[in-house]
PDB file of all heavy atoms in Angstrom:
ATOM      1  N   VAL A  28     114.440  89.516 122.285  1.00 96.00           N
ATOM      2  CA  VAL A  28     115.105  88.257 121.967  1.00 96.00           C
ATOM      3  C   VAL A  28     114.233  87.465 120.997  1.00 96.00           C
ATOM      4  O   VAL A  28     113.011  87.379 121.178  1.00 96.00           O
ATOM      5  CB  VAL A  28     115.364  87.438 123.248  1.00 96.00           C
ATOM      6  CG1 VAL A  28     115.993  86.091 122.918  1.00 96.00           C
ATOM      7  CG2 VAL A  28     116.270  88.214 124.209  1.00 96.00           C
ATOM      8  N   TYR A  29     114.883  86.883 119.965  1.00 97.00           N
ATOM      9  CA  TYR A  29     114.161  86.163 118.918  1.00 97.00           C
ATOM     10  C   TYR A  29     114.718  84.748 118.756  1.00 97.00           C
ATOM     11  O   TYR A  29     115.929  84.534 118.854  1.00 97.00           O
ATOM     12  CB  TYR A  29     114.282  86.913 117.586  1.00 97.00           C
ATOM     13  CG  TYR A  29     113.555  88.244 117.575  1.00 97.00           C
ATOM     14  CD1 TYR A  29     114.221  89.423 117.898  1.00 97.00           C
ATOM     15  CD2 TYR A  29     112.205  88.309 117.264  1.00 97.00           C
ATOM     16  CE1 TYR A  29     113.558  90.647 117.899  1.00 97.00           C
ATOM     17  CE2 TYR A  29     111.525  89.523 117.262  1.00 97.00           C
ATOM     18  CZ  TYR A  29     112.208  90.681 117.580  1.00 97.00           C
ATOM     19  OH  TYR A  29     111.549  91.886 117.587  1.00 97.00           O
ATOM     20  N   ARG A  30     113.813  83.839 118.473  1.00 97.00           N
ATOM     21  CA  ARG A  30     114.183  82.431 118.272  1.00 97.00           C
ATOM     22  C   ARG A  30     114.562  82.209 116.817  1.00 97.00           C
ATOM     23  O   ARG A  30     113.884  82.694 115.904  1.00 97.00           O
ATOM     24  CB  ARG A  30     113.025  81.514 118.659  1.00 97.00           C
ATOM     25  CG  ARG A  30     113.370  80.028 118.665  1.00 97.00           C
ATOM     26  CD  ARG A  30     112.143  79.207 119.034  1.00 97.00           C
ATOM     27  NE  ARG A  30     112.458  77.788 119.111  1.00 97.00           N
ATOM     28  CZ  ARG A  30     112.809  77.143 120.214  1.00 97.00           C
ATOM     29  NH1 ARG A  30     112.856  77.823 121.353  1.00 97.00           N
ATOM     30  NH2 ARG A  30     113.082  75.865 120.213  1.00 97.00           N
ATOM     31  N   CYS A  31     115.631  81.449 116.602  1.00 98.00           N
ATOM     32  CA  CYS A  31     116.105  81.153 115.248  1.00 98.00           C
ATOM     33  C   CYS A  31     115.661  79.751 114.829  1.00 98.00           C
ATOM     34  O   CYS A  31     115.155  78.971 115.639  1.00 98.00           O
ATOM     35  CB  CYS A  31     117.626  81.265 115.189  1.00 98.00           C
ATOM     36  SG  CYS A  31     118.255  82.866 115.722  1.00 98.00           S
ATOM     37  N   ALA A  32     115.878  79.425 113.566  1.00 98.00           N
ATOM     38  CA  ALA A  32     115.410  78.149 113.024  1.00 98.00           C
ATOM     39  C   ALA A  32     116.047  76.960 113.724  1.00 98.00           C
ATOM     40  O   ALA A  32     115.448  75.881 113.818  1.00 98.00           O
ATOM     41  CB  ALA A  32     115.698  78.091 111.530  1.00 98.00           C
ATOM     42  N   CYS A  33     117.274  77.133 114.233  1.00 97.00           N
ATOM     43  CA  CYS A  33     117.997  76.051 114.891  1.00 97.00           C
ATOM     44  C   CYS A  33     117.559  75.836 116.334  1.00 97.00           C
ATOM     45  O   CYS A  33     118.011  74.891 116.994  1.00 97.00           O
ATOM     46  CB  CYS A  33     119.496  76.341 114.846  1.00 97.00           C
ATOM     47  SG  CYS A  33     119.941  77.881 115.699  1.00 97.00           S
ATOM     48  N   GLY A  34     116.713  76.727 116.852  1.00 97.00           N
ATOM     49  CA  GLY A  34     116.320  76.667 118.252  1.00 97.00           C
ATOM     50  C   GLY A  34     117.133  77.586 119.132  1.00 97.00           C
ATOM     51  O   GLY A  34     116.811  77.767 120.308  1.00 97.00           O
ATOM     52  N   GLY A  35     118.205  78.174 118.574  1.00 97.00           N
ATOM     53  CA  GLY A  35     118.988  79.150 119.322  1.00 97.00           C
ATOM     54  C   GLY A  35     118.290  80.492 119.377  1.00 97.00           C
ATOM     55  O   GLY A  35     117.274  80.716 118.699  1.00 97.00           O
ATOM     56  N   TRP A  36     118.840  81.397 120.161  1.00 97.00           N
ATOM     57  CA  TRP A  36     118.198  82.685 120.377  1.00 97.00           C
ATOM     58  C   TRP A  36     119.158  83.821 120.034  1.00 97.00           C
ATOM     59  O   TRP A  36     120.377  83.675 120.127  1.00 97.00           O
ATOM     60  CB  TRP A  36     117.747  82.828 121.834  1.00 97.00           C
ATOM     61  CG  TRP A  36     116.726  81.818 122.229  1.00 97.00           C
ATOM     62  CD1 TRP A  36     116.958  80.556 122.705  1.00 97.00           C
ATOM     63  CD2 TRP A  36     115.302  81.958 122.160  1.00 97.00           C
ATOM     64  NE1 TRP A  36     115.767  79.919 122.951  1.00 97.00           N
ATOM     65  CE2 TRP A  36     114.730  80.751 122.625  1.00 97.00           C
ATOM     66  CE3 TRP A  36     114.451  82.984 121.764  1.00 97.00           C
ATOM     67  CZ2 TRP A  36     113.368  80.537 122.703  1.00 97.00           C
ATOM     68  CZ3 TRP A  36     113.083  82.780 121.845  1.00 97.00           C
ATOM     69  CH2 TRP A  36     112.548  81.574 122.303  1.00 97.00           C
ATOM     70  N   LEU A  37     118.567  84.941 119.641  1.00 98.00           N
ATOM     71  CA  LEU A  37     119.317  86.107 119.221  1.00 98.00           C
ATOM     72  C   LEU A  37     118.793  87.320 119.971  1.00 98.00           C
ATOM     73  O   LEU A  37     117.582  87.535 120.052  1.00 98.00           O
ATOM     74  CB  LEU A  37     119.119  86.304 117.717  1.00 98.00           C
ATOM     75  CG  LEU A  37     120.204  87.009 116.905  1.00 98.00           C
ATOM     76  CD1 LEU A  37     121.486  86.193 116.914  1.00 98.00           C
ATOM     77  CD2 LEU A  37     119.705  87.184 115.471  1.00 98.00           C
ATOM     78  N   SER A  38     119.697  88.125 120.540  1.00 97.00           N
ATOM     79  CA  SER A  38     119.284  89.355 121.204  1.00 97.00           C
ATOM     80  C   SER A  38     119.474  90.532 120.260  1.00 97.00           C
ATOM     81  O   SER A  38     120.467  90.616 119.539  1.00 97.00           O
ATOM     82  CB  SER A  38     120.102  89.586 122.485  1.00 97.00           C
ATOM     83  OG  SER A  38     121.440  89.934 122.175  1.00 97.00           O
ATOM     84  N   VAL A  39     118.498  91.437 120.275  1.00 98.00           N
ATOM     85  CA  VAL A  39     118.529  92.634 119.438  1.00 98.00           C
ATOM     86  C   VAL A  39     118.362  93.841 120.344  1.00 98.00           C
ATOM     87  O   VAL A  39     117.446  93.885 121.164  1.00 98.00           O
ATOM     88  CB  VAL A  39     117.408  92.611 118.382  1.00 98.00           C
ATOM     89  CG1 VAL A  39     117.385  93.915 117.588  1.00 98.00           C
ATOM     90  CG2 VAL A  39     117.578  91.421 117.447  1.00 98.00           C
ATOM     91  N   GLY A  40     119.265  94.825 120.194  1.00 97.00           N
ATOM     92  CA  GLY A  40     119.184  96.027 121.012  1.00 97.00           C
ATOM     93  C   GLY A  40     119.501  97.271 120.206  1.00 97.00           C
ATOM     94  O   GLY A  40     120.299  98.103 120.622  1.00 97.00           O
ATOM     95  N   ALA A  41     118.857  97.390 119.053  1.00 98.00           N
ATOM     96  CA  ALA A  41     119.138  98.503 118.130  1.00 98.00           C
ATOM     97  C   ALA A  41     118.373  99.751 118.559  1.00 98.00           C
ATOM     98  O   ALA A  41     117.476 100.232 117.866  1.00 98.00           O
ATOM     99  CB  ALA A  41     118.778  98.105 116.707  1.00 98.00           C
ATOM    100  N   LEU A  42     118.743 100.316 119.692  1.00 96.00           N
ATOM    101  CA  LEU A  42     118.002 101.413 120.308  1.00 96.00           C
ATOM    102  C   LEU A  42     118.179 102.743 119.573  1.00 96.00           C
ATOM    103  O   LEU A  42     117.209 103.394 119.191  1.00 96.00           O
ATOM    104  CB  LEU A  42     118.444 101.555 121.767  1.00 96.00           C
ATOM    105  CG  LEU A  42     117.939 102.753 122.565  1.00 96.00           C
ATOM    106  CD1 LEU A  42     116.425 102.770 122.631  1.00 96.00           C
ATOM    107  CD2 LEU A  42     118.536 102.739 123.970  1.00 96.00           C
ATOM    108  N   GLU A  43     119.434 103.160 119.358  1.00 96.00           N
ATOM    109  CA  GLU A  43     119.682 104.462 118.748  1.00 96.00           C
ATOM    110  C   GLU A  43     119.506 104.407 117.228  1.00 96.00           C
ATOM    111  O   GLU A  43     119.701 103.364 116.596  1.00 96.00           O
ATOM    112  CB  GLU A  43     121.100 104.948 119.097  1.00 96.00           C
ATOM    113  CG  GLU A  43     121.282 105.286 120.573  1.00 96.00           C
ATOM    114  CD  GLU A  43     121.610 104.091 121.438  1.00 96.00           C
ATOM    115  OE1 GLU A  43     121.687 102.954 120.886  1.00 96.00           O
ATOM    116  OE2 GLU A  43     121.759 104.249 122.652  1.00 96.00           O
ATOM    117  N   ALA A  44     119.184 105.579 116.648  1.00 97.00           N
ATOM    118  CA  ALA A  44     118.853 105.653 115.223  1.00 97.00           C
ATOM    119  C   ALA A  44     119.948 105.101 114.305  1.00 97.00           C
ATOM    120  O   ALA A  44     119.632 104.343 113.365  1.00 97.00           O
ATOM    121  CB  ALA A  44     118.526 107.104 114.848  1.00 97.00           C
ATOM    122  N   PRO A  45     121.223 105.407 114.509  1.00 98.00           N
ATOM    123  CA  PRO A  45     122.246 104.864 113.602  1.00 98.00           C
ATOM    124  C   PRO A  45     122.310 103.341 113.636  1.00 98.00           C
ATOM    125  O   PRO A  45     122.500 102.700 112.593  1.00 98.00           O
ATOM    126  CB  PRO A  45     123.549 105.490 114.110  1.00 98.00           C
ATOM    127  CG  PRO A  45     123.127 106.700 114.873  1.00 98.00           C
ATOM    128  CD  PRO A  45     121.812 106.355 115.480  1.00 98.00           C
ATOM    129  N   PHE A  46     122.151 102.774 114.825  1.00 98.00           N
ATOM    130  CA  PHE A  46     122.205 101.322 114.950  1.00 98.00           C
ATOM    131  C   PHE A  46     120.955 100.674 114.354  1.00 98.00           C
ATOM    132  O   PHE A  46     121.017  99.600 113.735  1.00 98.00           O
ATOM    133  CB  PHE A  46     122.370 100.926 116.414  1.00 98.00           C
ATOM    134  CG  PHE A  46     123.522 101.603 117.104  1.00 98.00           C
ATOM    135  CD1 PHE A  46     123.452 101.965 118.437  1.00 98.00           C
ATOM    136  CD2 PHE A  46     124.691 101.901 116.411  1.00 98.00           C
ATOM    137  CE1 PHE A  46     124.507 102.585 119.081  1.00 98.00           C
ATOM    138  CE2 PHE A  46     125.763 102.529 117.033  1.00 98.00           C
ATOM    139  CZ  PHE A  46     125.667 102.871 118.371  1.00 98.00           C
ATOM    140  N   TYR A  47     119.826 101.315 114.545  1.00 98.00           N
ATOM    141  CA  TYR A  47     118.567 100.816 113.970  1.00 98.00           C
ATOM    142  C   TYR A  47     118.651 100.821 112.447  1.00 98.00           C
ATOM    143  O   TYR A  47     118.188  99.884 111.785  1.00 98.00           O
ATOM    144  CB  TYR A  47     117.411 101.689 114.456  1.00 98.00           C
ATOM    145  CG  TYR A  47     116.039 101.238 114.008  1.00 98.00           C
ATOM    146  CD1 TYR A  47     115.497 100.038 114.445  1.00 98.00           C
ATOM    147  CD2 TYR A  47     115.269 102.036 113.158  1.00 98.00           C
ATOM    148  CE1 TYR A  47     114.231  99.635 114.053  1.00 98.00           C
ATOM    149  CE2 TYR A  47     113.995 101.646 112.760  1.00 98.00           C
ATOM    150  CZ  TYR A  47     113.479 100.432 113.211  1.00 98.00           C
ATOM    151  OH  TYR A  47     112.216 100.035 112.810  1.00 98.00           O
ATOM    152  N   ALA A  48     119.264 101.855 111.887  1.00 98.00           N
ATOM    153  CA  ALA A  48     119.404 101.933 110.427  1.00 98.00           C
ATOM    154  C   ALA A  48     120.273 100.796 109.906  1.00 98.00           C
ATOM    155  O   ALA A  48     119.957 100.168 108.880  1.00 98.00           O
ATOM    156  CB  ALA A  48     119.997 103.282 110.030  1.00 98.00           C
ATOM    157  N   ILE A  49     121.360 100.504 110.592  1.00 98.00           N
ATOM    158  CA  ILE A  49     122.221  99.382 110.190  1.00 98.00           C
ATOM    159  C   ILE A  49     121.460  98.069 110.301  1.00 98.00           C
ATOM    160  O   ILE A  49     121.539  97.205 109.416  1.00 98.00           O
ATOM    161  CB  ILE A  49     123.487  99.357 111.065  1.00 98.00           C
ATOM    162  CG1 ILE A  49     124.320 100.622 110.839  1.00 98.00           C
ATOM    163  CG2 ILE A  49     124.314  98.104 110.770  1.00 98.00           C
ATOM    164  CD1 ILE A  49     125.460 100.778 111.829  1.00 98.00           C
ATOM    165  N   PHE A  50     120.718  97.914 111.382  1.00 98.00           N
ATOM    166  CA  PHE A  50     119.924  96.706 111.622  1.00 98.00           C
ATOM    167  C   PHE A  50     118.947  96.466 110.470  1.00 98.00           C
ATOM    168  O   PHE A  50     118.893  95.371 109.894  1.00 98.00           O
ATOM    169  CB  PHE A  50     119.191  96.863 112.954  1.00 98.00           C
ATOM    170  CG  PHE A  50     118.226  95.772 113.294  1.00 98.00           C
ATOM    171  CD1 PHE A  50     118.671  94.504 113.612  1.00 98.00           C
ATOM    172  CD2 PHE A  50     116.854  96.014 113.314  1.00 98.00           C
ATOM    173  CE1 PHE A  50     117.767  93.492 113.936  1.00 98.00           C
ATOM    174  CE2 PHE A  50     115.946  95.023 113.638  1.00 98.00           C
ATOM    175  CZ  PHE A  50     116.410  93.756 113.953  1.00 98.00           C
ATOM    176  N   LEU A  51     118.213  97.499 110.095  1.00 98.00           N
ATOM    177  CA  LEU A  51     117.246  97.355 109.001  1.00 98.00           C
ATOM    178  C   LEU A  51     117.950  97.096 107.673  1.00 98.00           C
ATOM    179  O   LEU A  51     117.494  96.276 106.859  1.00 98.00           O
ATOM    180  CB  LEU A  51     116.388  98.611 108.894  1.00 98.00           C
ATOM    181  CG  LEU A  51     115.435  98.914 110.052  1.00 98.00           C
ATOM    182  CD1 LEU A  51     114.616 100.164 109.734  1.00 98.00           C
ATOM    183  CD2 LEU A  51     114.512  97.737 110.346  1.00 98.00           C
TER     184      LEU A  51
END
């Protein structure tokens, strides 16, 4: 989980290779 500039939070779960590639 990462904090954004507004103070909100974002969850990231790019576990598998295809999803990780899209994420990057």
Side-chain angles (χ1 to χ4, degrees):
V28 177
Y29 292 93
R30 188 181 183 93
C31 304
C33 61
W36 297 87
L37 207 64
S38 71
V39 176
L42 172 59
E43 292 84 359
F46 307 145
Y47 184 66
I49 296 170
F50 174 70
L51 293 183

